[in-house]
């Protein structure tokens, strides 16, 4: 009765099932692994002091920026140079701009420094003159997926949509750090910009999306197996009906 499973049509169905189920299980396991990695990262971060509780150290000791150094307080000394506005950034539910000033460090490279946040239409204070020493939370360069980033282009002169070496390389002749800091204590007239959490770590929405995708892939695997069993049962019932004369043989 089950010889129909060896027909060309059922060979195709069986091959699809044999390939689809392991693929769904693999993808579900991979998503589960990503979720577990985020849980481990979160637990490790919980065991260690928060970045702002640790002693500030010179900038170059924390580079390149990674999950362990992001948010750490870094120090740098130099002279402020060109200044830009980063528009469309929210702080405490209010819309405004970041004030981004480039610090020409004693080492010769230029460090983007967010001196603070100002409400839309607010007055932007000039940067302090002369040599300054700054302390700020270290941040990785932004990308197109970072919240608040302006990628549409067409910004007026003096504005940048993204804080990154790539966005500044054509605006200044200096060698720009592939990182930036946000001052722990904003300059007078500005509000301090808190450090962003490390992307891809912790139990954020994306972590639980991984867990949701895990369930979806395993459901897909179960659905494929269910549909194969249902089709097989229908075929068996059709054969039995034909044997009993309840259904005419297919032409």
């Amino acid at each position: 009765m089950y010889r129909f499973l060896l027909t060309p049509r059922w060979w195709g169905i069986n091959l699809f099932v044999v390939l689809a189920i392991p693929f769904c299980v693999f993808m579900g396991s991979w998503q589960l692994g990503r979720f577990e990695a985020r849980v481990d990262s979160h637990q490790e971060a919980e065991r260690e002091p928060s970045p702002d509780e640790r002693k500030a150290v010179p900038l170059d000791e924390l580079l390149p920026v990674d999950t362990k150094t992001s948010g750490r307080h870094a120090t740098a000394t130099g002279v402020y140079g060109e200044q830009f506005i980063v528009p469309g950034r929210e702080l405490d539910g209010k819309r405004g701009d970041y004030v981004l000033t480039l610090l020409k460090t004693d080492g010769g490279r230029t460090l983007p420094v967010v001196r603070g946040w100002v409400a839309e239409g607010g007055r932007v204070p000039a940067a302090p003159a002369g040599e300054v020493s700054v302390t700020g939370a270290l941040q990785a360069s932004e990308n197109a997926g970072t919240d608040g980033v302006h990628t549409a282009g067409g910004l007026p002169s003096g504005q940048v949509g993204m804080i990154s070496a790539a966005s500044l390389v054509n605006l200044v002749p200096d060698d720009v750090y592939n990182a930036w800091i946000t001052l722990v204590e904003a300059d007078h007239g500005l509000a301090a910009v808190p450090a962003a959490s490390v992307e891809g770590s912790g139990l954020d929405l994306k972590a639980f999306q991984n867990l949701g995708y895990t369930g979806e892939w395993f459901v897909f695997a179960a659905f494929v197996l269910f549909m194969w069993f249902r089709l097989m049962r229908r075929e068996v019932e059709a054969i039995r009906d034909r044997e009993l004369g309840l259904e005419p043989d297919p032409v």
Side-chain angles (χ1 to χ4, degrees):
M1 180 177 296
Y2 294 94
R3 284 181 296 178
F4 66 85
L5 294 172
L6 300 178
T7 60
R9 171 172 170 267
W10 273 91
W11 266 110
I13 294 174
N14 294 336
L15 180 62
F16 172 78
V17 171
V18 168
L19 295 177
I21 291 179
F23 176 76
C24 291
V25 171
F26 169 78
M27 291 301 298
S29 300
W30 180 70
Q31 291 288 353
L32 181 60
R34 294 193 64 184
F35 173 74
E36 290 176 341
R38 288 175 180 268
V39 172
D40 292 341
S41 174
H42 175 73
Q43 291 176 341
E44 182 179 351
E46 289 284 300
R47 289 192 293 266
E48 295 202 7
S50 62
D52 57 358
E53 292 177 347
R54 304 174 72 174
K55 181 181 178 181
V57 298
L59 171 68
D60 290 332
E61 295 183 16
L62 299 175
L63 298 176
V65 186
D66 56 24
T67 56
K68 292 185 179 295
T69 61
S70 181
R72 287 282 306 273
H73 287 179
T75 60
T77 303
V79 177
Y80 279 127
E82 292 188 67
Q83 181 163 281
F84 299 91
I85 295 299
V86 187
R89 300 303 178 102
E90 291 190 357
L91 183 67
D92 296 332
K94 299 178 181 178
R95 193 168 178 83
D97 310 316
Y98 289 172
V99 179
L100 177 70
T101 310
L102 303 185
L103 180 74
K104 187 65 174 288
T105 64
D106 292 344
R109 300 179 68 186
T110 294
L111 173 67
V113 177
V114 171
R115 295 172 45 230
W117 175 92
V118 62
E120 283 187 340
R123 175 179 170 275
V124 178
E131 187 171 80
V132 296
S133 293
V134 297
T135 300
L138 183 63
Q139 302 281 264
S141 288
E142 295 182 332
N143 54 60
T146 304
D147 288 342
V149 162
H150 187 286
T151 58
L155 291 174
S157 177
Q159 294 189 10
V160 292
M162 181 188 307
I163 308 174
S164 71
S167 65
L168 295 169
V169 68
N170 294 323
L171 301 178
V172 295
D174 307 323
D175 181 16
V176 181
Y177 278 101
N178 189 26
W180 57 283
I181 66 170
T182 173
L183 294 186
V184 175
E185 296 182 4
D187 286 341
H188 180 70
L190 301 172
V193 175
S197 59
V198 182
E199 187 175 347
S201 66
L203 298 180
D204 54 9
L205 177 60
K206 289 185 178 179
F208 289 100
Q209 283 179 338
N210 291 137
L211 187 60
Y213 294 148
T214 299
E216 287 183 2
W217 281 112
F218 287 129
V219 169
F220 290 157
F223 180 74
V224 169
L225 185 60
F226 168 75
M227 289 303 298
W228 177 87
F229 180 77
R230 184 176 180 183
L231 288 173
M232 187 269 291
R233 290 300 303 168
R234 288 181 60 183
E235 191 83 23
V236 169
E237 290 171 359
I239 292 173
R240 286 176 177 169
D241 288 345
R242 286 196 295 271
E243 290 176 347
L244 295 173
L246 299 177
E247 182 179 318
D249 291 332
V251 178

